[in-house]
mmCIF file of all heavy atoms in Angstrom:
data_model
loop_
_atom_site.group_PDB
_atom_site.id
_atom_site.type_symbol
_atom_site.label_atom_id
_atom_site.label_comp_id
_atom_site.label_asym_id
_atom_site.label_seq_id
_atom_site.Cartn_x
_atom_site.Cartn_y
_atom_site.Cartn_z
ATOM 1 N N ALA A 97 0.034 -13.143 6.068
ATOM 2 C CA ALA A 97 -0.096 -12.055 7.044
ATOM 3 C C ALA A 97 1.115 -11.128 7.017
ATOM 4 O O ALA A 97 0.984 -9.912 7.221
ATOM 5 C CB ALA A 97 -0.296 -12.629 8.446
ATOM 6 N N VAL A 98 2.296 -11.693 6.760
ATOM 7 C CA VAL A 98 3.519 -10.886 6.705
ATOM 8 C C VAL A 98 3.418 -9.823 5.607
ATOM 9 O O VAL A 98 3.960 -8.716 5.744
ATOM 10 C CB VAL A 98 4.744 -11.797 6.468
ATOM 11 C CG1 VAL A 98 5.961 -10.989 6.044
ATOM 12 C CG2 VAL A 98 5.060 -12.591 7.729
ATOM 13 N N PHE A 99 2.699 -10.130 4.527
ATOM 14 C CA PHE A 99 2.621 -9.219 3.394
ATOM 15 C C PHE A 99 1.419 -8.279 3.456
ATOM 16 O O PHE A 99 1.171 -7.520 2.510
ATOM 17 C CB PHE A 99 2.597 -10.006 2.084
ATOM 18 C CG PHE A 99 3.904 -10.672 1.778
ATOM 19 C CD1 PHE A 99 4.005 -12.054 1.751
ATOM 20 C CD2 PHE A 99 5.038 -9.931 1.530
ATOM 21 C CE1 PHE A 99 5.212 -12.677 1.478
ATOM 22 C CE2 PHE A 99 6.251 -10.537 1.251
ATOM 23 C CZ PHE A 99 6.336 -11.918 1.228
ATOM 24 N N LEU A 100 0.660 -8.329 4.544
ATOM 25 C CA LEU A 100 -0.427 -7.376 4.765
ATOM 26 C C LEU A 100 0.047 -6.307 5.743
ATOM 27 O O LEU A 100 0.978 -6.529 6.508
ATOM 28 C CB LEU A 100 -1.663 -8.093 5.314
ATOM 29 C CG LEU A 100 -2.257 -9.182 4.411
ATOM 30 C CD1 LEU A 100 -3.386 -9.917 5.125
ATOM 31 C CD2 LEU A 100 -2.771 -8.589 3.097
ATOM 32 N N ALA A 101 -0.621 -5.158 5.733
ATOM 33 C CA ALA A 101 -0.085 -4.030 6.522
ATOM 34 C C ALA A 101 -1.156 -3.301 7.317
ATOM 35 O O ALA A 101 -1.053 -2.099 7.527
ATOM 36 C CB ALA A 101 0.614 -3.045 5.580
ATOM 37 N N GLN A 102 -2.175 -4.029 7.779
ATOM 38 C CA GLN A 102 -3.238 -3.363 8.537
ATOM 39 C C GLN A 102 -2.716 -2.703 9.808
ATOM 40 O O GLN A 102 -2.771 -1.493 9.972
ATOM 41 C CB GLN A 102 -4.307 -4.380 8.944
ATOM 42 C CG GLN A 102 -5.213 -4.880 7.867
ATOM 43 C CD GLN A 102 -6.109 -5.956 8.435
ATOM 44 O OE1 GLN A 102 -7.269 -5.718 8.725
ATOM 45 N NE2 GLN A 102 -5.570 -7.136 8.605
ATOM 46 N N LYS A 103 -2.237 -3.533 10.728
ATOM 47 C CA LYS A 103 -1.866 -3.018 12.050
ATOM 48 C C LYS A 103 -0.674 -2.083 11.978
ATOM 49 O O LYS A 103 -0.661 -1.029 12.635
ATOM 50 C CB LYS A 103 -1.565 -4.171 13.007
ATOM 51 C CG LYS A 103 -1.367 -3.729 14.462
ATOM 52 C CD LYS A 103 -1.176 -4.912 15.383
ATOM 53 C CE LYS A 103 -1.125 -4.462 16.843
ATOM 54 N NZ LYS A 103 -0.002 -3.540 17.092
ATOM 55 N N SER A 104 0.330 -2.438 11.190
ATOM 56 C CA SER A 104 1.522 -1.590 11.114
ATOM 57 C C SER A 104 1.166 -0.232 10.534
ATOM 58 O O SER A 104 1.658 0.810 11.012
ATOM 59 C CB SER A 104 2.615 -2.264 10.282
ATOM 60 O OG SER A 104 2.168 -2.514 8.960
ATOM 61 N N LEU A 105 0.312 -0.196 9.522
ATOM 62 C CA LEU A 105 -0.100 1.071 8.929
ATOM 63 C C LEU A 105 -0.903 1.893 9.934
ATOM 64 O O LEU A 105 -0.645 3.086 10.135
ATOM 65 C CB LEU A 105 -0.922 0.810 7.660
ATOM 66 C CG LEU A 105 -1.505 2.033 6.956
ATOM 67 C CD1 LEU A 105 -0.423 3.037 6.600
ATOM 68 C CD2 LEU A 105 -2.278 1.595 5.709
ATOM 69 N N GLY A 106 -1.873 1.252 10.572
ATOM 70 C CA GLY A 106 -2.665 1.960 11.569
ATOM 71 C C GLY A 106 -1.814 2.495 12.701
ATOM 72 O O GLY A 106 -2.006 3.637 13.166
ATOM 73 N N ASP A 107 -0.854 1.704 13.157
ATOM 74 C CA ASP A 107 0.017 2.130 14.261
ATOM 75 C C ASP A 107 0.879 3.329 13.872
ATOM 76 O O ASP A 107 1.056 4.276 14.659
ATOM 77 C CB ASP A 107 0.914 0.979 14.706
ATOM 78 C CG ASP A 107 0.155 -0.112 15.460
ATOM 79 O OD1 ASP A 107 -1.018 0.130 15.828
ATOM 80 O OD2 ASP A 107 0.728 -1.196 15.666
ATOM 81 N N HIS A 108 1.443 3.301 12.655
ATOM 82 C CA HIS A 108 2.299 4.404 12.216
ATOM 83 C C HIS A 108 1.510 5.702 12.078
ATOM 84 O O HIS A 108 2.005 6.784 12.432
ATOM 85 C CB HIS A 108 2.971 4.060 10.889
ATOM 86 C CG HIS A 108 4.191 3.206 11.025
ATOM 87 N ND1 HIS A 108 4.169 1.841 10.899
ATOM 88 C CD2 HIS A 108 5.475 3.530 11.294
ATOM 89 C CE1 HIS A 108 5.386 1.353 11.089
ATOM 90 N NE2 HIS A 108 6.199 2.366 11.328
ATOM 91 N N VAL A 109 0.300 5.597 11.554
ATOM 92 C CA VAL A 109 -0.507 6.806 11.388
ATOM 93 C C VAL A 109 -1.011 7.305 12.737
ATOM 94 O O VAL A 109 -1.057 8.514 12.986
ATOM 95 C CB VAL A 109 -1.673 6.531 10.414
ATOM 96 C CG1 VAL A 109 -2.599 7.737 10.315
ATOM 97 C CG2 VAL A 109 -1.132 6.187 9.024
ATOM 98 N N GLN A 110 -1.354 6.380 13.621
ATOM 99 C CA GLN A 110 -1.785 6.791 14.959
ATOM 100 C C GLN A 110 -0.657 7.503 15.703
ATOM 101 O O GLN A 110 -0.908 8.406 16.510
ATOM 102 C CB GLN A 110 -2.261 5.582 15.755
ATOM 103 C CG GLN A 110 -2.944 5.943 17.066
ATOM 104 C CD GLN A 110 -3.671 4.769 17.674
ATOM 105 O OE1 GLN A 110 -3.345 3.615 17.410
ATOM 106 N NE2 GLN A 110 -4.675 5.046 18.486
ATOM 107 N N ALA A 111 0.579 7.119 15.419
ATOM 108 C CA ALA A 111 1.723 7.775 16.063
ATOM 109 C C ALA A 111 1.789 9.252 15.687
ATOM 110 O O ALA A 111 2.274 10.079 16.475
ATOM 111 C CB ALA A 111 3.015 7.070 15.666
ATOM 112 N N VAL A 112 1.313 9.598 14.481
ATOM 113 C CA VAL A 112 1.302 11.010 14.083
ATOM 114 C C VAL A 112 0.309 11.786 14.937
ATOM 115 O O VAL A 112 0.612 12.879 15.441
ATOM 116 C CB VAL A 112 0.948 11.143 12.590
ATOM 117 C CG1 VAL A 112 0.933 12.615 12.187
ATOM 118 C CG2 VAL A 112 1.949 10.376 11.725
ATOM 119 N N ALA A 113 -0.891 11.230 15.117
ATOM 120 C CA ALA A 113 -1.886 11.889 15.970
ATOM 121 C C ALA A 113 -1.376 12.021 17.394
ATOM 122 O O ALA A 113 -1.521 13.079 18.031
ATOM 123 C CB ALA A 113 -3.194 11.093 15.940
ATOM 124 N N ARG A 114 -0.740 10.969 17.891
ATOM 125 C CA ARG A 114 -0.219 11.004 19.260
ATOM 126 C C ARG A 114 0.904 12.029 19.381
ATOM 127 O O ARG A 114 1.005 12.744 20.385
ATOM 128 C CB ARG A 114 0.265 9.610 19.645
ATOM 129 C CG ARG A 114 0.667 9.482 21.109
ATOM 130 C CD ARG A 114 0.791 8.033 21.519
ATOM 131 N NE ARG A 114 1.721 7.298 20.671
ATOM 132 C CZ ARG A 114 1.354 6.314 19.839
ATOM 133 N NH1 ARG A 114 0.086 5.946 19.756
ATOM 134 N NH2 ARG A 114 2.252 5.684 19.098
ATOM 135 N N GLY A 115 1.752 12.108 18.347
ATOM 136 C CA GLY A 115 2.833 13.090 18.376
ATOM 137 C C GLY A 115 2.294 14.515 18.437
ATOM 138 O O GLY A 115 2.803 15.352 19.184
ATOM 139 N N LEU A 116 1.272 14.803 17.642
ATOM 140 C CA LEU A 116 0.670 16.132 17.654
ATOM 141 C C LEU A 116 0.028 16.437 19.001
ATOM 142 O O LEU A 116 0.134 17.547 19.523
ATOM 143 C CB LEU A 116 -0.379 16.244 16.541
ATOM 144 C CG LEU A 116 0.153 16.343 15.099
ATOM 145 C CD1 LEU A 116 -1.003 16.224 14.112
ATOM 146 C CD2 LEU A 116 0.910 17.648 14.876
ATOM 147 N N GLN A 117 -0.657 15.452 19.569
ATOM 148 C CA GLN A 117 -1.361 15.663 20.828
ATOM 149 C C GLN A 117 -0.416 15.828 22.004
ATOM 150 O O GLN A 117 -0.670 16.646 22.897
ATOM 151 C CB GLN A 117 -2.314 14.491 21.088
ATOM 152 C CG GLN A 117 -3.506 14.423 20.135
ATOM 153 C CD GLN A 117 -4.307 13.148 20.293
ATOM 154 O OE1 GLN A 117 -3.758 12.111 20.684
ATOM 155 N NE2 GLN A 117 -5.586 13.189 19.986
ATOM 156 N N GLN A 118 0.688 15.087 21.997
ATOM 157 C CA GLN A 118 1.563 15.062 23.167
ATOM 158 C C GLN A 118 2.750 16.008 23.051
ATOM 159 O O GLN A 118 3.220 16.540 24.071
ATOM 160 C CB GLN A 118 2.064 13.637 23.411
ATOM 161 C CG GLN A 118 0.953 12.644 23.740
ATOM 162 C CD GLN A 118 1.476 11.235 23.940
ATOM 163 O OE1 GLN A 118 2.658 10.952 23.758
ATOM 164 N NE2 GLN A 118 0.575 10.326 24.315
ATOM 165 N N GLU A 119 3.265 16.213 21.823
ATOM 166 C CA GLU A 119 4.476 17.015 21.656
ATOM 167 C C GLU A 119 4.300 18.191 20.711
ATOM 168 O O GLU A 119 5.277 18.862 20.384
ATOM 169 C CB GLU A 119 5.620 16.123 21.159
ATOM 170 C CG GLU A 119 5.928 14.934 22.049
ATOM 171 C CD GLU A 119 6.997 14.036 21.452
ATOM 172 O OE1 GLU A 119 8.091 14.556 21.156
ATOM 173 O OE2 GLU A 119 6.729 12.836 21.274
ATOM 174 N N GLY A 120 3.084 18.401 20.255
ATOM 175 C CA GLY A 120 2.843 19.522 19.364
ATOM 176 C C GLY A 120 3.370 19.277 17.958
ATOM 177 O O GLY A 120 3.569 18.138 17.531
ATOM 178 N N LEU A 121 3.640 20.359 17.257
ATOM 179 C CA LEU A 121 4.029 20.269 15.848
ATOM 180 C C LEU A 121 5.342 19.513 15.658
ATOM 181 O O LEU A 121 5.499 18.756 14.693
ATOM 182 C CB LEU A 121 4.137 21.673 15.254
ATOM 183 C CG LEU A 121 4.276 21.770 13.735
ATOM 184 C CD1 LEU A 121 3.142 21.034 13.027
ATOM 185 C CD2 LEU A 121 4.326 23.234 13.304
ATOM 186 N N GLU A 122 6.290 19.688 16.576
ATOM 187 C CA GLU A 122 7.568 18.972 16.461
ATOM 188 C C GLU A 122 7.360 17.465 16.512
ATOM 189 O O GLU A 122 7.959 16.705 15.735
ATOM 190 C CB GLU A 122 8.529 19.412 17.563
ATOM 191 C CG GLU A 122 9.907 18.753 17.457
ATOM 192 C CD GLU A 122 10.864 19.235 18.533
ATOM 193 O OE1 GLU A 122 10.542 20.223 19.222
ATOM 194 O OE2 GLU A 122 11.934 18.609 18.675
ATOM 195 N N GLY A 123 6.504 17.003 17.426
ATOM 196 C CA GLY A 123 6.200 15.574 17.496
ATOM 197 C C GLY A 123 5.491 15.079 16.255
ATOM 198 O O GLY A 123 5.751 13.973 15.784
ATOM 199 N N GLY A 124 4.607 15.902 15.703
ATOM 200 C CA GLY A 124 3.930 15.531 14.469
ATOM 201 C C GLY A 124 4.893 15.427 13.305
ATOM 202 O O GLY A 124 4.824 14.506 12.499
ATOM 203 N N HIS A 125 5.830 16.398 13.211
ATOM 204 C CA HIS A 125 6.837 16.355 12.142
ATOM 205 C C HIS A 125 7.667 15.081 12.229
ATOM 206 O O HIS A 125 7.928 14.414 11.207
ATOM 207 C CB HIS A 125 7.766 17.570 12.260
ATOM 208 C CG HIS A 125 7.172 18.830 11.741
ATOM 209 N ND1 HIS A 125 7.685 20.069 12.047
ATOM 210 C CD2 HIS A 125 6.092 19.058 10.951
ATOM 211 C CE1 HIS A 125 6.967 21.005 11.454
ATOM 212 N NE2 HIS A 125 5.989 20.419 10.788
ATOM 213 N N ARG A 126 8.092 14.729 13.432
ATOM 214 C CA ARG A 126 8.940 13.557 13.604
ATOM 215 C C ARG A 126 8.199 12.278 13.212
ATOM 216 O O ARG A 126 8.766 11.407 12.549
ATOM 217 C CB ARG A 126 9.415 13.485 15.053
ATOM 218 C CG ARG A 126 10.463 12.421 15.303
ATOM 219 C CD ARG A 126 11.198 12.659 16.616
ATOM 220 N NE ARG A 126 10.285 12.835 17.742
ATOM 221 C CZ ARG A 126 10.084 13.993 18.365
ATOM 222 N NH1 ARG A 126 10.736 15.080 17.980
ATOM 223 N NH2 ARG A 126 9.247 14.074 19.388
ATOM 224 N N ALA A 127 6.939 12.177 13.590
ATOM 225 C CA ALA A 127 6.185 10.960 13.301
ATOM 226 C C ALA A 127 5.793 10.867 11.833
ATOM 227 O O ALA A 127 5.875 9.791 11.221
ATOM 228 C CB ALA A 127 4.938 10.903 14.184
ATOM 229 N N VAL A 128 5.386 11.983 11.231
ATOM 230 C CA VAL A 128 4.924 11.919 9.841
ATOM 231 C C VAL A 128 6.089 11.686 8.886
ATOM 232 O O VAL A 128 5.913 11.150 7.782
ATOM 233 C CB VAL A 128 4.142 13.205 9.473
ATOM 234 C CG1 VAL A 128 5.073 14.344 9.076
ATOM 235 C CG2 VAL A 128 3.141 12.916 8.354
ATOM 236 N N ALA A 129 7.299 12.082 9.295
ATOM 237 C CA ALA A 129 8.472 11.847 8.451
ATOM 238 C C ALA A 129 8.731 10.359 8.235
ATOM 239 O O ALA A 129 9.417 9.981 7.272
ATOM 240 C CB ALA A 129 9.705 12.499 9.071
ATOM 241 N N MET A 130 8.179 9.509 9.106
ATOM 242 C CA MET A 130 8.372 8.071 8.980
ATOM 243 C C MET A 130 7.492 7.452 7.904
ATOM 244 O O MET A 130 7.737 6.326 7.489
ATOM 245 C CB MET A 130 8.063 7.391 10.327
ATOM 246 C CG MET A 130 8.882 7.908 11.491
ATOM 247 S SD MET A 130 10.649 7.553 11.312
ATOM 248 C CE MET A 130 10.623 5.767 11.485
ATOM 249 N N ILE A 131 6.459 8.181 7.450
ATOM 250 C CA ILE A 131 5.490 7.556 6.542
ATOM 251 C C ILE A 131 5.266 8.319 5.242
ATOM 252 O O ILE A 131 4.575 7.804 4.349
ATOM 253 C CB ILE A 131 4.130 7.338 7.235
ATOM 254 C CG1 ILE A 131 3.534 8.664 7.715
ATOM 255 C CG2 ILE A 131 4.267 6.353 8.384
ATOM 256 C CD1 ILE A 131 2.119 8.535 8.254
ATOM 257 N N VAL A 132 5.820 9.531 5.089
ATOM 258 C CA VAL A 132 5.604 10.280 3.847
ATOM 259 C C VAL A 132 6.935 10.759 3.297
ATOM 260 O O VAL A 132 7.924 10.875 4.022
ATOM 261 C CB VAL A 132 4.663 11.493 4.060
ATOM 262 C CG1 VAL A 132 3.306 11.038 4.558
ATOM 263 C CG2 VAL A 132 5.271 12.513 5.011
ATOM 264 N N GLY A 133 6.953 11.048 1.992
ATOM 265 C CA GLY A 133 8.174 11.490 1.345
ATOM 266 C C GLY A 133 8.333 13.000 1.290
ATOM 267 O O GLY A 133 9.411 13.492 0.976
ATOM 268 N N ARG A 134 7.262 13.739 1.569
ATOM 269 C CA ARG A 134 7.351 15.196 1.486
ATOM 270 C C ARG A 134 8.150 15.757 2.662
ATOM 271 O O ARG A 134 8.343 15.078 3.665
ATOM 272 C CB ARG A 134 5.952 15.799 1.433
ATOM 273 C CG ARG A 134 5.176 15.723 2.730
ATOM 274 C CD ARG A 134 3.692 16.001 2.532
ATOM 275 N NE ARG A 134 3.051 14.930 1.781
ATOM 276 C CZ ARG A 134 1.739 14.866 1.574
ATOM 277 N NH1 ARG A 134 0.952 15.820 2.018
ATOM 278 N NH2 ARG A 134 1.222 13.857 0.898
ATOM 279 N N ASP A 135 8.570 17.005 2.543
ATOM 280 C CA ASP A 135 9.367 17.648 3.584
ATOM 281 C C ASP A 135 8.465 18.020 4.751
ATOM 282 O O ASP A 135 7.629 18.925 4.642
ATOM 283 C CB ASP A 135 10.026 18.901 3.005
ATOM 284 C CG ASP A 135 10.962 19.582 3.990
ATOM 285 O OD1 ASP A 135 11.050 19.103 5.149
ATOM 286 O OD2 ASP A 135 11.597 20.578 3.611
ATOM 287 N N PRO A 136 8.606 17.368 5.919
ATOM 288 C CA PRO A 136 7.687 17.647 7.026
ATOM 289 C C PRO A 136 7.845 19.045 7.605
ATOM 290 O O PRO A 136 6.893 19.587 8.180
ATOM 291 C CB PRO A 136 8.042 16.572 8.059
ATOM 292 C CG PRO A 136 9.446 16.191 7.753
ATOM 293 C CD PRO A 136 9.579 16.320 6.266
#
Side-chain angles (χ1 to χ4, degrees):
V98 165
F99 290 115
L100 299 174
Q102 287 175 102
K103 188 176 186 299
S104 60
L105 176 56
D107 288 348
H108 278 96
V109 175
Q110 190 167 24
V112 180
R114 187 165 56 247
L116 287 171
Q117 291 172 332
Q118 297 178 355
E119 303 176 56
L121 191 55
E122 183 178 349
H125 282 163
R126 188 163 52 251
V128 83
M130 303 295 292
I131 60 173
V132 300
R134 71 195 68 174
D135 184 357

